[in-house]
């Protein structure tokens, strides 16, 4: 959402997301009309204060989010979209990449480009063509059943909930997700035999099983997917770069996939722009793999951890029984859910905002120790490599609104401290550079340094008391030269 804010599409994403007053509640049940095992309640977006970000968490389904990005991309004269077309192969040399295309009508064409970014999904043909392997494991096979119903009463007899995990004699076997909370829903049926399929009639029966009663609904689609914990061996080869599911596939438990893919696109995007415009150094693009692959490994492992905890819960045939045996099992499951803190999956701000580029060759360390890697708690820090923290400014903007196409220097006093030399060094290297003086003790304390240099992606590149004597060396480091 912070990047959507930068691109100007955040209002539309909010409009297309689940309603502002919809509570972020998560239930663990034997059916939406069955027994409740446990619950975690979180406030709606409307009732959640904005603290560490100028934007709130959003739940915007991909079938609504993707068109927003598409329509935004169409506004750029430099963008051409080709649908109903697939890549048949590619060849690269020292000067560029030739991509062979074919559309559904059989027409062949080719594109010659300086660089190719492959965002072609989990089964990336480009990744396979390059011979880049995946490290990790498959976790299970699943089917997503997307369906429509206005009978909201069958889903919310205990009040509205974003997600309801469904348990049976075999343990957790499905979840029911409110896509819009009004008429669109998804049933994910988990832990199936690889390659399993369902007819629409069989899918309808599983929907009724998850709900616990009959009702009016329409099955829209049935889509197979494999839950994985895998990361590509490397994120680029020559002039070809991989992004999104092409380089990592993670369990959706945590909602990290889209966030992680967008982070990669932003990281790679500014580096490609800098290279094509001539101010990026020869090592800048090499830093993409160095920075993003460790984040992908970390995030993928956290998603798997959130899912695998379900497999540790008690289960048994008596789960549906209205008997002391059934009550005992349900109580033990609920107690284990709370004891193992399943709610962490829905509050992992440390993963979403706390990632940092430790050891990056284009980040200048300041000698401060790396803070603990906490997946849950996000502690704002302007330490080099970290996301520059959000704070509201006197004019109503966020500090994040200051960052953009070039490097941004924030200074918290009016002394020169070498700022002019840094600006001149940036000009000599044609590096886009802006300088903001922030006269706010609260923000100064948050950033913990008189001078902070922020990259185009919003991460801190350097901070210090004053600009080093060799300002040109600093600029050359952060631009990958």
């Amino acid at each position: 959402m912070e990047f959507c804010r930068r691109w100007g599409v955040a209002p539309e994403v909010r409009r297309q997301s689940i309603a502002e007053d919809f509570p972020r509640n998560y239930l663990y049940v034997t059916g939406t009309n069955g027994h409740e095992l446990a619950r975690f309640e979180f406030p709606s977006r409307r009732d959640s204060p904005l603290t560490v970000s100028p934007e709130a968490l959003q739940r915007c389904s991909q079938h609504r989010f993707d068109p927003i990005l598409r329509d935004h991309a169409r506004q750029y004269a430099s963008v051409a979209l080709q649908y109903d077309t697939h890549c048949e192969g590619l060849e690269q040399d020292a000067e560029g990449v030739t991509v062979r295309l074919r559309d559904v009508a059989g027409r062949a064409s080719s594109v010659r480009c300086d660089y190719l970014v492959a965002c072609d999904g989990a089964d990336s043909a480009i990744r396979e063509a390059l011979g880049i392997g995946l490290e990790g494991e498959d976790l299970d096979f699943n089917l997503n059943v997307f369906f429509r119903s206005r009978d909201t009463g069958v889903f919310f007899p205990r009040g509205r909930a974003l997600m309801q995990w469904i348990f049976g004699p075999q343990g957790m076997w499905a979840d029911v997700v409110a896509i819009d909370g009004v008429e669109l829903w998804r049933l994910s049926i988990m832990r199936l035999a690889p390659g399993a399929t369902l007819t629409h009639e069989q899918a309808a029966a599983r929907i009724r099983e998850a709900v616990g009663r009959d009702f009016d609904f329409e099955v829209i689609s049935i889509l197979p997917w494999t839950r994985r914990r895998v990361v590509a061996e490397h994120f680029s080869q020559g002039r070809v770069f991989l992004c999104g599911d092409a380089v990592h596939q993670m369990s959706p438990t945590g909602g990290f996939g889209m966030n992680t893919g967008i982070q990669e696109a932003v990281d790679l995007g500014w580096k490609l722009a800098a290279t094509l415009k001539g101010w990026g150094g020869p090592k800048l693009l090499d830093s993409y793999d160095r920075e993003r692959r460790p984040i992908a490994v970390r995030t993928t492992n956290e998603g798997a951890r959130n899912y695998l905890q379900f497999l540790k819960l008690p289960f048994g045939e008596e789960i549906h029984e209205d008997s002391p045996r059934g009550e005992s099992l349900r109580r033990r499951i609920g107690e284990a859910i709370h004891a193992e803190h399943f709610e962490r999956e829905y509050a992992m701000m440390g993963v979403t905002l706390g990632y940092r580029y430790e050891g990056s060759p284009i980040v200048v360390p300041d000698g401060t120790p790396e803070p603990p890697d906490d997946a849950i708690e996000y502690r704002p820090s302007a330490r080099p490599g970290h996301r520059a923290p959000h704070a509201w400014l006197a004019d109503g903007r966020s500090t994040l609104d200051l960052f953009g196409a070039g490097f941004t220097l924030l200074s918290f006093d009016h002394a020169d401290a070498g700022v002019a030399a840094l600006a001149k060094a940036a000009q000599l290297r044609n590096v886009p550079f802006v300088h903001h003086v922030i006269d706010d003790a609260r923000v100064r304390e948050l950033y913990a340094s008189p001078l902070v240099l922020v990259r185009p992606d919003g991460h801190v590149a350097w901070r210090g008391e004053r600009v080093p004597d060799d300002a040109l060396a600093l600029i050359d480091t952060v631009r990958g030269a």
Side-chain angles (χ1 to χ4, degrees):
M1 283 304 297
E2 291 177 354
F3 291 124
C4 288
R5 178 187 183 92
R6 174 185 295 190
W7 303 326
V9 300
E12 182 62 14
V13 176
R14 286 193 288 270
R15 194 179 73 82
Q16 296 285 356
S17 295
I18 206 158
E20 289 246 342
D21 64 350
F22 200 100
R24 292 187 299 122
N25 295 339
Y26 303 87
L27 306 184
Y28 302 78
V29 295
T30 61
T32 65
N33 290 268
H35 298 280
E36 181 178 313
L37 309 173
R39 69 162 54 215
F40 297 107
E41 297 184 352
F42 295 87
S44 68
R45 188 168 75 246
R46 182 189 62 189
D47 298 325
S48 300
L50 297 178
T51 55
V52 297
S53 174
E55 295 289 337
L57 291 165
Q58 300 293 331
R59 195 170 187 91
C60 183
S61 181
Q62 189 170 350
H63 79 283
R64 291 182 169 178
F65 183 68
D66 282 2
I68 296 172
L69 296 184
R70 176 201 64 202
D71 293 345
H72 182 65
R74 279 178 169 157
Q75 297 176 17
Y76 293 88
S78 59
V79 170
L81 303 178
Q82 289 184 242
Y83 287 98
D84 300 321
T85 303
H86 68 273
C87 171
E88 288 199 319
L90 61 96
E91 292 82 33
Q92 61 173 316
D93 52 47
E95 303 299 323
V97 186
T98 301
V99 186
R100 290 179 277 110
L101 305 174
R102 188 174 298 275
D103 67 19
V104 293
R107 293 183 293 264
S109 62
S110 67
V111 172
R112 178 68 176 174
C113 50
D114 292 322
Y115 298 95
L116 173 68
V117 184
C119 308
D120 54 339
D123 298 321
S124 170
I126 293 175
R127 184 191 65 231
E128 293 183 5
L130 295 174
I132 298 175
L134 296 172
E135 298 176 343
E137 60 182 334
D138 289 358
L139 298 176
D140 66 8
F141 181 79
N142 312 268
L143 290 172
N144 278 355
V145 182
F146 193 58
F147 64 102
R148 178 181 288 110
S149 174
R150 286 252 170 194
D151 195 354
T152 55
V154 303
F155 301 107
F156 303 138
R158 301 175 183 83
R160 291 181 295 175
L162 282 177
M163 179 180 292
Q164 300 184 67
W165 295 96
I166 312 299
F167 287 73
Q170 72 275 47
M172 187 276 293
W173 65 273
D175 66 17
V176 175
V177 174
I179 300 298
D180 63 4
V182 178
E183 65 170 7
L184 296 176
W185 317 87
R186 189 197 73 217
L187 173 71
S188 291
I189 307 171
M190 305 176 197
R191 301 160 62 188
L192 297 170
T197 59
L198 291 177
T199 65
H200 274 229
E201 291 73 19
Q202 291 169 328
R206 301 310 301 270
I207 292 171
R208 294 186 187 97
E209 181 183 356
V211 169
R213 52 169 283 195
D214 197 9
F215 65 105
D216 291 330
F217 63 90
E218 172 196 3
V219 174
I220 299 172
S221 67
I222 304 169
L223 298 172
W225 61 283
T226 300
R227 187 188 315 270
R228 295 184 173 120
R229 172 171 48 187
V230 296
V231 177
E233 294 169 334
H234 41 271
F235 281 24
S236 65
Q237 186 180 105
R239 289 175 168 265
V240 182
F241 297 83
L242 305 174
C243 223
D245 286 355
V247 284
H248 49 67
Q249 294 133 56
M250 60 191 71
S251 175
T253 38
F256 304 136
M258 179 65 80
N259 283 323
T260 309
I262 288 177
Q263 290 166 13
E264 285 153 2
V266 170
D267 184 279
L268 180 58
W270 80 263
K271 293 170 182 175
L272 281 170
T275 301
L276 292 170
K277 292 176 181 178
W279 59 265
K283 298 179 182 179
L284 186 60
L285 288 173
D286 292 341
S287 70
Y288 171 61
D289 182 282
R290 177 76 174 269
E291 291 189 342
R292 290 305 310 174
R293 192 174 186 280
I295 306 303
V297 171
R298 170 187 187 247
T299 308
T300 301
N301 286 336
E302 288 295 342
R305 181 224 172 273
N306 289 338
Y307 172 70
L308 293 173
Q309 62 186 357
F310 280 101
L311 307 185
K312 302 174 185 178
L313 295 173
F315 60 93
E317 293 291 333
E318 67 271 27
I319 191 168
H320 294 296
E321 292 179 7
D322 289 319
S323 67
R325 278 199 332 148
E327 291 176 6
S328 175
L329 175 59
R330 292 189 293 270
R331 183 176 62 254
R332 286 188 289 119
I333 295 172
E335 289 172 349
I337 288 171
H338 284 282
E340 295 299 322
H341 299 288
F342 275 46
E343 75 275 14
R344 78 194 296 275
E345 176 185 340
Y346 316 113
M348 301 187 73
M349 205 63 78
V351 171
T352 307
L353 298 180
Y355 62 101
R356 76 288 298 259
Y357 299 135
E358 194 71 22
S360 169
I362 60 169
V363 169
V364 182
D366 66 354
T368 58
E370 182 181 8
D373 186 3
D374 191 326
I376 308 301
E377 293 295 327
Y378 166 66
R379 297 175 178 85
S381 172
R383 183 174 173 272
H386 291 239
R387 163 190 170 274
H390 152 71
W392 292 115
L393 302 174
D395 61 6
R397 291 184 296 172
S398 165
T399 48
L400 274 57
D401 297 330
L402 304 178
F403 313 139
F407 281 82
T408 302
L409 181 68
L410 304 181
S411 60
F412 296 95
D413 57 43
H414 294 276
D416 177 72
V419 170
L422 190 63
K424 183 177 180 180
Q427 184 180 27
L428 285 171
R429 295 295 193 245
N430 296 314
V431 174
F433 178 90
V434 295
H435 174 218
H436 294 279
V437 178
I438 299 177
D439 189 11
D440 188 317
R442 177 182 49 87
V443 183
R444 164 68 173 81
E445 183 179 4
L446 178 64
Y447 275 73
S449 186
L451 297 173
V452 180
L453 184 65
V454 182
R455 310 184 330 181
D457 61 352
H459 280 252
V460 175
W462 167 87
R463 69 176 177 179
E465 297 288 328
R466 62 174 293 109
V467 173
D469 291 339
D470 192 346
L472 201 58
L474 172 56
I475 289 293
D476 281 345
T477 298
V478 299
R479 72 181 184 93

